[in-house]
Amino acid sequence: MQIDTKEVLRYLAFRGEPEERLLQEIDICSRELLSTVMPKSCFLRVPVVHGENGQLEIAGTSLCSKDLQGHLRECTEAFLFAATLGAQADSLMRRYSVTTMSRAVILQACAAAAIESFCDEQEEELRKSVEEEKLFLRPRYSPGYGDFPIQWQHTLLSML
């Protein structure tokens, strides 16, 4: 897992050339975060059954999302996947939100870049695990994307 400074700047919605002081803060936050967090992930390979008009059954659970159905077109299985940097990341952000708000904002952007990097690594492992079966992975798709409501997050996490 690594933290890409360009990604951090993107999460900060930063435009232009960053000053050295900002780059130093990003470096400080990145190093502290990486030395503190304990990332973990879990996954579950589940069947997917397609219905009509956005109806899907994933691991026996019915849901409706035309966007997700399109994303999973021709797929008969999917991986449910979750990842976290761990409670240590939240504690660190809470501490800085009380003591140094600017650092808390930068730390949040670093955490976003870190979790995406970790997810990319985990996704690559899953990709390798299905290569022998001549299968491939579609890009990650999460509750809150398109017409797939964020409320489904709880149900999917419960399945995991």
Side-chain angles (χ1 to χ4, degrees):
M1 177 177 63
Q2 52 189 322
I3 298 175
D4 183 335
T5 300
K6 288 181 183 176
E7 282 298 294
V8 175
L9 291 168
R10 185 175 70 82
Y11 284 114
L12 290 170
F14 188 85
R15 304 270 187 255
E17 193 63 33
E19 294 180 12
E20 187 60 30
R21 181 70 183 130
L22 175 57
L23 294 174
Q24 289 172 351
E25 283 294 315
I26 291 171
D27 184 57
I28 290 166
C29 288
S30 294
R31 283 188 281 114
E32 186 170 12
L33 188 70
L34 289 173
S35 70
T36 303
V37 298
M38 296 175 58
K40 294 191 180 348
S41 68
C42 61
F43 67 89
L44 180 65
R45 192 170 174 175
V46 297
V48 174
V49 179
H50 294 266
E52 298 293 321
N53 298 319
Q55 294 295 317
L56 284 167
E57 187 176 293
I58 297 179
T61 300
S62 296
L63 55 93
C64 184
S65 168
K66 288 182 181 181
D67 292 339
L68 179 58
Q69 186 178 54
H71 186 74
L72 294 176
R73 69 184 169 280
E74 299 179 26
C75 295
T76 58
E77 293 181 303
F79 282 108
L80 297 182
F81 170 81
T84 181
L85 294 177
Q88 301 85 353
D90 293 331
S91 295
L92 194 58
M93 284 186 270
R94 269 193 306 277
R95 186 177 83 211
Y96 281 124
S97 71
V98 171
T99 62
T100 315
M101 184 52 82
S102 61
R103 188 165 281 180
V105 171
I106 294 170
L107 192 64
Q108 173 65 38
C110 289
I115 193 64
E116 284 301 318
S117 173
F118 181 67
C119 287
D120 289 345
E121 291 171 4
Q122 301 307 298
E123 183 178 359
E124 185 56 30
E125 291 300 315
L126 290 175
R127 185 179 318 286
K128 288 177 185 175
S129 77
V130 298
E131 280 179 349
E132 287 184 15
E133 299 174 63
K134 304 286 188 236
L135 298 174
F136 67 95
L137 296 184
R138 306 267 310 142
R140 293 191 301 266
Y141 196 94
S142 298
Y145 290 9
D147 70 346
F148 188 35
I150 191 82
Q151 291 82 359
W152 279 101
Q153 190 172 40
H154 179 73
T155 301
L156 298 177
L157 287 172
S158 294
M159 294 167 134
L160 287 167

